[in-house]
Amino acid sequence: MLLHPKWQPVLDSLRMVTAIATVQDLFDFRLPPEKVVKKGGYRSVDEGVSDMTNRIREVWAKRQK
């Protein structure tokens, strides 16, 4: 039972870590979930994909230096 349903994220961090594990196969390096997934989850799929994409870009850019 949810006491406050509006507080529940649509995409929680566990689901996003699962997505990272799948996407990670596209890269030749590890994507650390703690750097790629926002703590607390996301309110929408679009928010999650946008944030995760930006964070993956940041990890990628740091590896290119």
Side-chain angles (χ1 to χ4, degrees), residues 2-17:
L2 298 175
L3 296 176
H4 302 283
K6 291 182 182 179
W7 293 359
Q8 293 297 322
V10 172
L11 291 176
D12 60 16
S13 56
L14 179 60
R15 288 184 182 171
M16 292 308 288
V17 169

Side-chain angles (χ1 to χ4, degrees), residues 6-55:
K6 291 182 182 179
W7 293 359
Q8 293 297 322
V10 172
L11 291 176
D12 60 16
S13 56
L14 179 60
R15 288 184 182 171
M16 292 308 288
V17 169
T18 301
I20 292 294
T22 302
V23 170
Q24 183 168 270
D25 291 340
L26 301 172
F27 298 92
D28 62 348
F29 59 90
R30 183 177 172 274
L31 293 172
E34 66 277 4
K35 295 190 185 257
V36 181
V37 179
K38 179 180 86 171
K39 290 181 181 176
Y42 301 97
R43 293 265 177 218
S44 70
V45 172
D46 288 340
E47 178 190 1
V49 169
S50 177
D51 183 66
M52 188 172 79
T53 301
N54 289 333
R55 290 171 183 248

